[in-house]
Amino acid sequence: MQILVINPNISQSVTDLIEAEARRTASPDTTLKMATAQFGVAYIETRFEALVGGYATACAAAEHAGQFDGVVVAAFGDPGLAAMKELFDVPVVGMTEAALASACLLGQRFSIIAISNRIQAWYRECVAANGLSSRLASVRSLQEPLRDIGSVQEDHAARLEEMSLQAVQQDGADVIIVAGAPLAGLARSLKGRIPVPVVDGVSSAIRHCESLISLSPGHATQGSFARPPRKPNQGLPESLAKLLD
Amino acid sequence: MQILVINPNISQSVTDLIEAEARRTASPDTTLKMATAQFGVAYIETRFEALVGGYATACAAAEHAGQFDGVVVAAFGDPGLAAMKELFDVPVVGMTEAALASACLLGQRFSIIAISNRIQAWYRECVAANGLSSRLASVRSLQEPLRDIGSVQEDHAARLEEMSLQAVQQDGADVIIVAGAPLAGLARSLKGRIPVPVVDGVSSAIRHCESLISLSPGHATQGSFARPPRKPNQGLPESLAKLLD
Amino acid sequence: MQILVINPNISQSVTDLIEAEARRTASPDTTLKMATAQFGVAYIETRFEALVGGYATACAAAEHAGQFDGVVVAAFGDPGLAAMKELFDVPVVGMTEAALASACLLGQRFSIIAISNRIQAWYRECVAANGLSSRLASVRSLQEPLRDIGSVQEDHAARLEEMSLQAVQQDGADVIIVAGAPLAGLARSLKGRIPVPVVDGVSSAIRHCESLISLSPGHATQGSFARPPRKPNQGLPESLAKLLD
Amino acid sequence: MQILVINPNISQSVTDLIEAEARRTASPDTTLKMATAQFGVAYIETRFEALVGGYATACAAAEHAGQFDGVVVAAFGDPGLAAMKELFDVPVVGMTEAALASACLLGQRFSIIAISNRIQAWYRECVAANGLSSRLASVRSLQEPLRDIGSVQEDHAARLEEMSLQAVQQDGADVIIVAGAPLAGLARSLKGRIPVPVVDGVSSAIRHCESLISLSPGHATQGSFARPPRKPNQGLPESLAKLLD
Amino acid sequence: MQILVINPNISQSVTDLIEAEARRTASPDTTLKMATAQFGVAYIETRFEALVGGYATACAAAEHAGQFDGVVVAAFGDPGLAAMKELFDVPVVGMTEAALASACLLGQRFSIIAISNRIQAWYRECVAANGLSSRLASVRSLQEPLRDIGSVQEDHAARLEEMSLQAVQQDGADVIIVAGAPLAGLARSLKGRIPVPVVDGVSSAIRHCESLISLSPGHATQGSFARPPRKPNQGLPESLAKLLD
Amino acid sequence: MQILVINPNISQSVTDLIEAEARRTASPDTTLKMATAQFGVAYIETRFEALVGGYATACAAAEHAGQFDGVVVAAFGDPGLAAMKELFDVPVVGMTEAALASACLLGQRFSIIAISNRIQAWYRECVAANGLSSRLASVRSLQEPLRDIGSVQEDHAARLEEMSLQAVQQDGADVIIVAGAPLAGLARSLKGRIPVPVVDGVSSAIRHCESLISLSPGHATQGSFARPPRKPNQGLPESLAKLLD
């Protein structure tokens, strides 16, 4: 099966991190195609940045329409995700919803470890939109400015581990979600040092996308995730406009 | 005061409806500037269409940056609204949140009357994002395809009135919200025929935007609605990129 | 337009604070009529005090029935508010619901700054009755006994500012609501010193009441905010009994 | 033990119904003292009527202060109840909260059978204030005008039984609550004809009030149910003012 | 009336504590029959332990079927409670739901004082299953390992009192629930030292069970608490299998 | 990898249905071991039946302890699931939580199609315990008695399809969950006839269990899903007791 993995921000270094973790996870018979947003910002922390990233993701996916069996939107916060699910007849899985699915199967309450204070509000609203606020034990985040988005996990290793432990011991987390594509793979290095399961978004998204493709549940031709009704449009990239016909 | 009113979809006929109702409402010393999305769809019913409309709205607003004291996003469902609030130091008010504010001040539970069945899911999620699901009595909508988005309220007058009455008598609505820019002004013509207050989104948004400008509460330089942190970006319209510096 | 502004407690000094802020806010063509509860307590902190204040407010409003286009109930916690909305065919706006409406239009989560520890439970229950608990970041309050209800904001200026900052930085508030008629006007003096919008209840209530009068949405003749059904009554003040006929 | 039972409305015929059911329930060593509101309306259906009834209840209770070990507020909707709990150092139990407690001990979800359509909103808000909306299966009510508040259960026997059955079979109710003092005792006559437990408010309130007196859990001298802080007051009935000193 | 009181864990010393408090509470004409789980663990802190305890409770109750007018399940967390309510035609009351009922009648928000950190998650889930999370102020617990489950309240008296005070003063609790059968009776010794009502689970359960028996509301023959539908079964204790015929 | 699949009820015909669907789904390198409850009922519809089934499931799993890399609890409603997660250091996945995870990744709101009216309450409580009530569009069920639990899907094919369509068109479901092991595989035969994705519990559980094993997130040694604390126990099956040491 072919899975298109889209990085909704413009940082190639983050795409590389995502790709490394995705390849480590994917089944042997899965082919991964990476795409990076052609416009937007270096990393997404706010609602505005997510709006741009969401539209850039839809544009990137449209470029490859018809060439994949599933899509992974590889930014925590799932920019543009619900919109993407309307556009395509194949499974589209977001990093957050995938991590939440894994976490919910592993325990009752989870904490999210994040890369910046500013990002917290967006994450909380994303959990709420998933209807899972009652299972969110806490969000904890780095407070310092990031030197380099490609090396966050190396630069802040000790603090990230410390926050994970605090989430377990002070906030009652049954599961830790290490959030954000820049932290892709950190879950593996934390394992064994944190006394509860640690969930990674990228690998969860790859696995769950493969599962949905394999389960083959059919797609929506009615209801709120059917293709948008045909109507006049203008000014859209050609590949996107074509999807709406 | 100067208020920029943006129609997030590409239909000039809808912009005209919005403008007519907005001018009827605005205070004498308010100057309105209308803008229509430069790209997108004829009218917004789905999450994907709202994503495009949200980005188009941000682009349109950026074009006029520095020339207004407040912004109204004139599509029900508030595409791109939270993103816009981060971008600008002045009040940005959406049609839905404004209608919800009016409705909540007039009664405990409200119903939403909408133009299409497909649009319901998006509206429900918008009410939920506002935290007000417990006050939503029902959403009722037209089921028929729309002949012309500019004449919905004339074409379906009797049915829209009938649905409003059902919302009061069967769903327990204390207030009716007539939703969607294509229905701008319908509230006025329904008044007196519906036994509860009837709220219009456009006029509510204009009034509440004027109020926030006048109350002058200050703007966010910290917290989740401060300007997005400065970071590399690419491929954005020049006026938008300039806002991020 | 004529707006009746009722102070639900018996303190003339608080009525004066309310009046000063109300006059500063009201449109030039708005006439304000002030009324002070004829019975009750010096300031309202508890459910019992709110019950008395609510009934006193209804009695005060009934005295002026037919002489106003809208009513403002000027105590945070909105004593008697829902009851008042049933009684009158014109908009009745409470300080809390008005402040909540302003805050919700300015950000996602708000904190409430209050004058006493005891008052917190009542405020929380009021926010819950408005269905907005999910948007409440925190309530913070003065802990010390109040020397003089008319000079709270001068006596505790530094502490009130400090609590506002803590709400932003520790509780994640996007907006600060300065609660309680004794703090009327404090929002203005805090502005520029707090890094998020600061909302005042009295000025919000005046503005939103003007808006509702101006939007002219109609009033309820059915549903749960219609006039109470006619039935035997006894022992009510004459002006109140007259409203029920 | 002495229990003061207050009818918050002015109808002696309703007080008689309450008394009959209360005496049937009370333990042999319980002495009941009945009181009827000295002012207000014939029966309470709306928020305004509940406000008046709540204040009248507080006034009635104050008259007897020091002469009881517990109080029952005998109107469904619990007018003034939380206020009363602040005022007195003994248990104060409302008909609704008592019926809800019984119902929650008997099943997971309950339906409320009510005497009028208008009363539904007030009941729903009362259940919500108790935090129990998620356990409310439905509210069903008579639609016809009431001939005589003292004979509702005779006049509408068949319809009340029919609605109870519908609540079980269509709404998934595990328990039926027969609501409103005018229906006091109906639960007994319905028993055996309804295939789930049927709860009566008056008898539940008497039993639970006896239980709380007997359990003797202590009373609040701190927290939000302590006596209201001492402060200036005016215009209150003497007995009420005395309670605040 | 005959009440069967079941200790869902295997500790006779805990059964003795329960019995002492139960006898102190029960009405003179109530006969108590004590039963101790025949299999399971020394005290229940986790979901697995509750599963075993729930089944052991059902087995113990079945042994005495037909010999009681009501049942009390005397472990906080209410193991097997909803299952038991399906099995028997008489009231079955759990310690938690009984304590919650008492607490809700005494104030708006309650805190739970517990014997171990591990037990907190189970208690929270039990409160949530009762639909009462919005009224839970906090759960506070002992952190140290327990020397002897039969003497917890003596061994940790000072700490239990301190936690109760913190719940009132820091968490806003209106009522304290002293949770867990090993703490049966502690509420009495704390009374007067804690400035809010203190609720005990065992005595609440006994009283409320007596009340339900006395109110005689009927039992479910339809709905989700009717006897399970007849169907093949195997391997159940004979007395349990007999209940299903 | 080795997965133990447990049927919590005693029907071999249902175990066969589960096995067929599980084998169809499992990866080539997955070895499935089937187990059927040694005691309990023919199929689980009520809380009591789920209690028995949960304990039977724990007993069955304990028999095979150390011989699997993951466990699937193959009854909708997830009897004993949270308890099982405490007991074992490997992933334990329930049919309901797995179906919910799939459904949430495919759409916003789902409906559940069930085999009997009686089963609805248990399913609703299970969805609520997963924190997902806000995403539940409806539960619809067969009303007729079941002739044979092993042939439900053949016997009621047309009605099951009709209910699925109603859930989409009347209840707003984005996804259909076909619930209950007796319906295992029905999703496949419905596909293409229902205009939204259709989710099967057994295949979802197998896939998600494989994913969690493969993702290898670590297991809990602290928090509420760690092994229950060591303490005295008695009367447990030897294999179960051994797990607690």
Side-chain angles (χ1 to χ4, degrees), chain B residues 25 27 85 91-94 97-98 101-102 104-109 129-132 134-135 165 168-169 172-174 188 191-192 194-200 203-204 207-208 210-212 214-225, chain C residues 25 27 85 91-94 97-98 101-102 104-109 129-132 134-135 165 168-169 172-174 188 191-192 194-200 203-204 207-208 210-212 214-225:
Chain B
T25 309
S27 298
K85 293 191 186 197
V92 182
V93 175
E97 64 170 6
S102 296
C104 287
L105 294 168
L106 289 163
Q108 185 65 22
R109 295 172 80 228
N130 277 274
L132 289 169
S134 67
R135 296 178 75 167
L165 282 169
V168 175
Q169 286 157 2
D174 297 319
R188 269 183 298 106
K191 203 177 50 164
I194 306 296
V196 300
V198 182
V199 165
D200 171 77
S203 53
S204 289
R207 276 297 310 194
H208 295 326
E210 289 179 343
S211 290
L212 294 182
S214 160
L215 290 168
S216 185
H219 68 269
T221 56
Q222 290 182 25
S224 80
F225 285 95
Chain C
T25 309
S27 299
K85 292 191 185 197
V92 182
V93 175
E97 63 170 6
S102 295
C104 287
L105 294 168
L106 290 164
Q108 186 63 23
R109 295 170 79 227
N130 277 273
L132 289 168
S134 67
R135 296 179 76 167
L165 282 168
V168 175
Q169 285 156 1
D174 298 318
R188 269 182 299 105
K191 204 177 48 163
I194 305 297
V196 299
V198 183
V199 165
D200 170 77
S203 53
S204 288
R207 276 298 308 197
H208 295 327
E210 289 179 343
S211 290
L212 295 181
S214 159
L215 289 168
S216 185
H219 68 269
T221 56
Q222 291 183 25
S224 81
F225 285 95

Side-chain angles (χ1 to χ4, degrees), chain F residues 66 86 131 143 153 181 194 207:
Chain F
E86 294 176 355
Q143 301 294 329
Q153 42 184 310
I194 306 297
R207 279 294 314 193

Side-chain angles (χ1 to χ4, degrees), chain F residues 27 30 48 95 148 161 166 176 182 201 219 235 241:
Chain F
S27 299
T30 296
F48 170 73
M95 261 183 77
D148 175 352
E161 180 174 341
Q166 290 168 333
I176 297 297
H219 67 269

Side-chain angles (χ1 to χ4, degrees), chain D residues 16-72:
Chain D
D16 294 345
L17 277 170
I18 296 166
E19 182 168 13
E21 194 62 22
R23 293 210 180 279
R24 205 174 272 114
T25 308
S27 299
D29 58 344
T30 296
T31 309
L32 299 179
K33 167 79 186 168
M34 304 301 297
T36 303
Q38 291 306 295
F39 57 95
V41 297
Y43 54 101
I44 300 176
E45 294 174 291
T46 85
R47 304 168 187 94
F48 169 73
E49 294 167 354
L51 174 64
V52 177
Y55 186 57
T57 299
C59 292
E63 294 273 317
H64 300 272
Q67 301 167 36
F68 46 75
D69 303 301
V71 182
V72 165

Side-chain angles (χ1 to χ4, degrees), chain A residues 56-141:
Chain A
T57 299
C59 292
E63 293 274 317
H64 300 272
Q67 301 168 36
F68 46 76
D69 303 302
V71 183
V72 165
V73 176
F76 216 84
D78 292 347
L81 182 65
M84 296 277 288
K85 293 191 184 196
E86 294 176 354
L87 274 190
F88 296 100
D89 284 351
V90 299
V92 182
V93 174
M95 261 182 77
T96 305
E97 64 171 6
L100 295 176
S102 295
C104 288
L105 293 169
L106 289 164
Q108 185 64 22
R109 295 171 79 227
F110 50 82
S111 285
I112 295 176
I113 305 301
I115 59 171
S116 78
N117 193 44
R118 179 61 191 265
I119 219 167
Q120 289 202 23
W122 179 41
Y123 282 1
R124 281 184 193 280
E125 289 169 16
C126 182
V127 172
N130 277 275
L132 288 167
S133 298
S134 66
R135 296 179 75 168
L136 177 63
S138 62
V139 185
R140 286 180 177 258
S141 68

